[in-house]
Amino acid sequence: MTSAVVGADVVERCYGIRHHGPGSARATVRALDEQQPDIVLVEGPPEADELVRWAADEALQPPVALLGYATDDPRRAAYWPFAVFSPEWQAIRWAVARGVPVRFIDLPYALQVGPSPEPGADADEPAPRVRPVDPIGELAAAAGYDDSERWWEDVVEHRELPAFEAIAEAMAAIRASAPEDPRDLLREAHMRTVLRQVRRTHRSIAIVCGAWHVPALTAKVPATHDAALLKGRRKGKVTFTWVPWTYGRLASWRGYGAGVSSPGWYHHLFTAGGGTGGDVVARWLVDAAGVLREEGVPTSSAHVIEAVRLAEALAALRGRPLAGLSELTEASLSVLCEGDELRLRLIDRRLVVGERLGAVPDDMPTTPLARDLAAQQRSLRLKPEALERELDLDLRRPIDLGRSRLLHRLRLLGVPWGEPAEGRRNTGTFRETWALCWQPEFAVALIDAGAHGTTVVAAASAQVVGRAREATVLAEVTALVEACLVADLADAFGPVLRALDTRAALDTDVAHLLAAVPALARTLRYGDVRGTDVGALRSVTTGLLGRACAGLPAAVVALSDEAAAELRTHVDGAHGAVGLLDDADLRERWLDTLAGLVERDDLHGLLAGRLTRLLHDAQRLDRAETGLRMARALSVGVAPAAGAAWVEGFLAGGGLLLVHDPELLSLVDGWLAGLGAEAFTEAMPLLRRTFGTFAEPERRAIGERVRGGGAAPATTEDGVDHELAERALPALSALLGREVTA
């Protein structure tokens, strides 16, 4: 039953709804208009009762969520989302607009974050959660539907008939044979306890809750039974507030258990034509056409008209009261998208799921850190949005520089609102490119970060200083130095530099020293772009590089292949960093160190080849000397694997040198031609890995030079054995990763 009379003059009606069901929302409002209760009870956390009044504020725009978190540990948090089409939200709005009291009656969240019952308490700890049957799926199957969403739309969403009585009876039948969830039993015991209290003070009571709970709330259960279930449970301290939510997070595929797969479609059903008229179909397809037009896809009115006809015809053939999402999707794919699945996915993301982000009033109770962020977002004209968008910044403009600093500071606080665009270099130029997308869970991260400071800059500074003190690897500290630069954390710069001095003095690992140099070099090179004073950092960087130069000769002894590859990466990074520094003496010292190393006979082939290339590019070795070193490394007396490692080191980073220097290409070609079958097979994996890193145009150019004879010594036409040359083409094709023909 959905209604009960308690005593002679207390009327109580229980409206079982589907969470986030637009049909349920409309039916709930009509039922409340008819009943005119003097109190409304809603399934939700009772600690949020004081926040209900904010629903009257037009600045609280769904989708929003109640955020509850343990006061002493904000990472222990939970959300209760509401959309405009949520029956609970409509019930709350109905009540506050008429001055009717509203209470949440679910199990207090404080009991969920509180300590376990004390030893000796009578309350039994609930058993592990049982996954109940899907009631909507069971009812759909009983009606002959294989799609529960379609059944719900046909029975509830597309009809004006109230279904509370029928749904309550159906839920009672399902629960009679389904396993009970101990957690649901605990929640329902608390709901009944609140209900008994309310009956003493109110004469007309409306309860809005999930349909699954209706049988439990209308059943006659002794108060002693519920008291026994709840006895001995202790509460923790919790805090609640409203936060913006998104339809993407509301969708069930994002992990929200009570979510719906198509919140954008349900929003449309609730706001367009009451969910029953033809306007729902036409307006949806007009919106879908608008999405395609925004992306440059020509979509005419004729497309929309034909799509409407197709959707309605499909609904008629299937005996549906109104074209549903499946019919509209098929019509959109066939007519609007002309069979293109990519266009359909765009409609799905923009309309079916939706990209709506809610909003909360500026004076909503929140943490000082969140208020400071909101103020900066307004002053920098950087509005949070659920839709991912690209933001290009010119750091020479004050507003863009401020935006950059804010985004970098938030990343330090664990709030990656902006992600540096992949494939685009952001640090060290006048421009930055970010991908922005606001996520609801950032609210929890801000609460957690609030323990470090009341403003974004103060909290980020405290975070950086704390990490610098705890860092165990030198590169971690140098990364924080760079973070101080890009985030403009002047107060943290001094403590981080002191931590850098301490860590650098204790660290003797050459790899660590080399890994620390690139971030420091970028900081020195581009500090003036952001207006940061980096003078105190220069001596630290010079000292680190000097120590690396002194320790490098000993660090290259007896290296394994893996260790040589790692050291080569660090040498490349340090070499690039030296190029950024405007210090001729430091550059010469670095190149002198590399020149001394390349003369050694005990140097790993990978490093020997790489150092030769770096010195060649720096014009420390001319073409003749470079060719001589390559010839020596690829001579008959050198093991094929060692020769391949030398080539890999020399060619790492690009193969254009072989295109523009036929003599070097000839040396590599001659070495390959002289390898025996077994030696060639041994060297092939290393060489394939090397050539595989080249860009396609580079590989094509090398192949054309080889095919055109640019790599071979001049010979007469009669001296060419074409048949023998063709035998090498398959191996050459495998090496270059593309077909080479004669």
Side-chain angles (χ1 to χ4, degrees):
M1 296 292 292
T2 58
S3 64
V5 179
V6 182
D9 55 355
V10 177
V11 176
E12 168 185 313
R13 292 182 179 174
C14 192
Y15 304 114
I17 50 89
R18 183 189 186 189
H19 299 295
H20 315 305
S24 290
R26 288 191 298 270
T28 298
V29 172
R30 287 196 299 269
L32 293 174
D33 283 337
E34 179 183 344
Q35 179 186 352
Q36 293 294 317
D38 55 18
I39 188 170
V40 177
L41 306 180
V42 178
E43 181 183 335
E47 295 94 339
D49 283 348
E50 294 300 320
L51 296 174
V52 168
R53 61 183 178 85
W54 289 96
D57 193 326
E58 293 300 325
L60 186 65
Q61 301 176 9
V64 291
L66 286 168
L67 165 62
Y69 59 92
T71 307
D72 58 348
D73 184 6
R75 290 169 295 185
R76 301 174 63 190
Y79 300 96
W80 287 261
F82 298 88
V84 68
F85 51 81
S86 301
E88 301 94 330
W89 175 259
Q90 290 298 322
I92 292 172
R93 289 277 294 177
W94 183 94
V96 297
R98 294 161 177 79
V100 176
V102 180
R103 286 186 61 180
F104 289 115
I105 61 171
D106 206 345
L107 187 71
Y109 183 57
L111 290 178
Q112 303 178 46
V113 302
S116 301
E118 296 178 355
D122 294 335
D124 294 327
E125 195 65 18
R129 190 179 182 96
V130 175
R131 188 177 210 40
V133 296
D134 174 15
I136 304 299
E138 291 288 321
L139 295 175
Y145 282 72
D146 58 2
D147 186 336
S148 59
E149 290 287 336
R150 179 177 295 182
W151 175 83
W152 184 264
E153 285 188 5
D154 287 353
V155 174
V156 178
E157 305 305 342
H158 297 331
R159 299 182 187 272
E160 294 293 335
L161 300 176
F164 293 120
E165 294 283 347
I167 291 176
E169 292 177 7
M171 292 298 153
I174 294 175
R175 289 195 67 159
S177 58
E180 294 285 8
D181 185 342
R183 179 171 175 74
D184 278 345
L185 297 178
L186 193 64
R187 295 171 59 198
E188 290 161 354
H190 185 271
M191 292 181 190
R192 287 191 295 264
T193 301
V194 175
L195 196 50
R196 295 187 190 99
Q197 297 170 356
V198 172
R199 287 170 183 159
R200 303 190 188 106
T201 56
H202 294 80
R203 306 267 75 71
S204 182
I205 306 169
I207 306 130
V208 180
C209 64
W212 181 258
H213 303 297
V214 171
L217 298 187
T218 56
K220 294 183 178 181
V221 179
T224 54
H225 173 273
D226 293 341
L229 277 179
L230 298 170
K231 184 179 178 182
R233 303 188 180 279
R234 294 182 292 165
K235 294 184 178 181
K237 188 175 182 181
V238 297
T239 304
F240 271 76
T241 189
W242 288 104
V243 295
W245 201 250
T246 67
Y247 279 172
R249 281 292 186 266
L250 191 64
S252 57
W253 52 268
R254 299 304 292 269
Y256 171 48
V260 291
S261 60
S262 49
W265 165 242
Y266 276 6
H267 180 98
H268 180 77
L269 279 179
F270 186 77
T271 57
T276 59
D279 283 349
V280 171
V281 174
R283 290 175 61 180
W284 175 266
L285 291 171
V286 167
D287 290 343
V291 168
L292 295 177
R293 290 192 194 103
E294 289 177 4
E295 297 298 322
V297 179
T299 312
S300 67
S301 300
H303 282 91
V304 176
I305 293 170
E306 289 304 316
V308 170
R309 289 175 177 171
L310 178 56
E312 292 177 342
L314 289 172
L317 287 172
R318 294 166 180 172
R320 305 194 67 184
L322 181 71
L325 183 58
S326 58
E327 286 76 26
L328 290 170
T329 299
E330 293 176 43
S332 297
L333 176 61
S334 299
V335 181
L336 301 184
C337 302
E338 299 178 345
D340 191 335
E341 294 281 354
L342 289 176
R343 298 179 184 177
L344 184 65
R345 284 200 288 270
L346 178 64
I347 294 175
D348 180 79
R349 182 169 65 91
R350 297 279 293 275
L351 288 184
V352 178
V353 174
E355 297 163 335
R356 190 179 298 269
L357 174 66
V360 299
D362 293 338
D363 53 347
M364 174 69 63
T366 186
T367 63
L369 178 61
R371 282 197 297 271
D372 178 65
L373 173 59
Q376 292 194 51
Q377 289 170 335
R378 289 192 297 271
S379 65
L380 294 172
R381 300 195 295 277
L382 206 55
K383 182 181 179 181
E385 296 176 343
L387 172 64
E388 182 174 318
R389 66 185 180 95
E390 191 172 89
L391 178 68
D392 289 315
L393 301 179
D394 184 343
L395 302 183
R396 293 168 294 187
R397 299 176 60 219
I399 188 170
D400 281 355
L401 182 58
R403 291 168 174 171
S404 171
R405 288 169 174 169
L406 177 62
L407 293 173
H408 280 293
R409 290 167 182 171
L410 289 175
R411 286 175 59 80
L412 291 171
L413 293 176
V415 183
W417 177 19
E419 292 283 356
E422 293 184 8
R424 301 281 295 274
R425 185 177 180 182
N426 289 299
T427 302
T429 69
F430 285 106
R431 306 200 70 85
E432 284 185 345
T433 302
W434 295 83
L436 299 185
C437 185
W438 185 264
Q439 303 293 346
E441 57 266 28
F442 292 163
V444 175
L446 285 171
I447 294 169
D448 191 31
H452 300 283
T454 58
T455 64
V456 174
V457 64
S461 297
Q463 281 273 44
V464 167
V465 172
R467 292 179 192 173
R469 290 171 179 167
E470 298 171 0
T472 58
V473 178
L474 183 59
E476 295 177 3
V477 187
T478 56
L480 293 173
V481 172
E482 188 174 17
C484 288
L485 163 72
V486 296
D488 189 27
L489 304 178
D491 292 341
F493 199 63
V496 172
L497 276 184
R498 289 192 291 273
L500 176 61
D501 284 334
T502 302
R503 178 51 54 191
L506 297 175
D507 203 329
T508 59
D509 190 310
V510 172
H512 291 173
L513 297 175
L514 292 173
V517 171
L520 298 178
R522 289 192 297 267
T523 305
L524 286 170
R525 174 69 173 176
Y526 301 115
D528 57 339
V529 175
R530 297 172 176 272
T532 305
D533 182 10
V534 294
L537 190 59
R538 184 168 297 277
S539 61
V540 176
T541 307
T542 303
L544 281 179
L545 193 58
R547 291 175 57 200
C549 289
L552 198 54
V556 299
V557 177
L559 295 178
S560 65
D561 292 344
E562 293 76 12
E566 181 183 358
L567 187 58
R568 191 209 79 182
T569 300
H570 292 314
V571 168
D572 278 348
H575 186 78
V578 170
L580 294 177
L581 300 174
D582 186 18
D583 191 327
D585 293 338
L586 192 61
R587 181 176 183 275
E588 289 303 311
R589 182 177 180 182
W590 171 252
L591 293 176
D592 288 342
T593 302
L594 301 187
L597 292 175
V598 81
E599 300 291 340
R600 293 173 49 164
D601 296 331
D602 60 346
L603 197 61
H604 191 283
L606 184 68
L607 288 173
R610 191 61 190 151
L611 297 185
T612 301
R613 175 65 179 273
L614 295 179
L615 291 170
H616 175 85
D617 291 346
Q619 299 182 351
R620 280 294 195 98
L621 296 177
D622 58 24
R623 177 182 298 180
E625 189 170 358
T626 300
L628 180 62
R629 291 181 181 279
M630 178 179 285
R632 187 188 308 156
L634 302 181
S635 62
V636 177
V638 178
W646 197 98
V647 172
E648 180 183 4
F650 185 80
L651 296 179
L656 285 179
L657 186 62
L658 293 182
V659 177
H660 298 299
D661 196 326
E663 294 182 8
L664 294 181
L665 181 57
S666 177
L667 285 172
V668 176
D669 183 58
W671 170 67
L672 278 172
L675 292 176
E678 293 185 3
F680 183 84
T681 302
E682 180 183 356
M684 175 60 73
L686 286 175
L687 293 172
R688 180 60 188 271
R689 182 174 65 191
T690 301
F691 281 85
T693 62
F694 297 167
E696 174 63 21
E698 293 180 356
R699 296 203 301 270
R700 184 186 307 114
I702 294 173
E704 291 173 352
R705 290 300 300 267
V706 173
R707 182 176 57 190
T715 59
T716 63
E717 183 176 352
D718 293 339
V720 176
D721 188 338
H722 293 283
E723 181 179 354
L724 182 62
E726 288 180 357
R727 295 178 186 175
L729 293 181
L732 185 59
S733 298
L735 177 65
L736 295 176
R738 58 174 286 108
E739 184 178 1
V740 179
T741 58

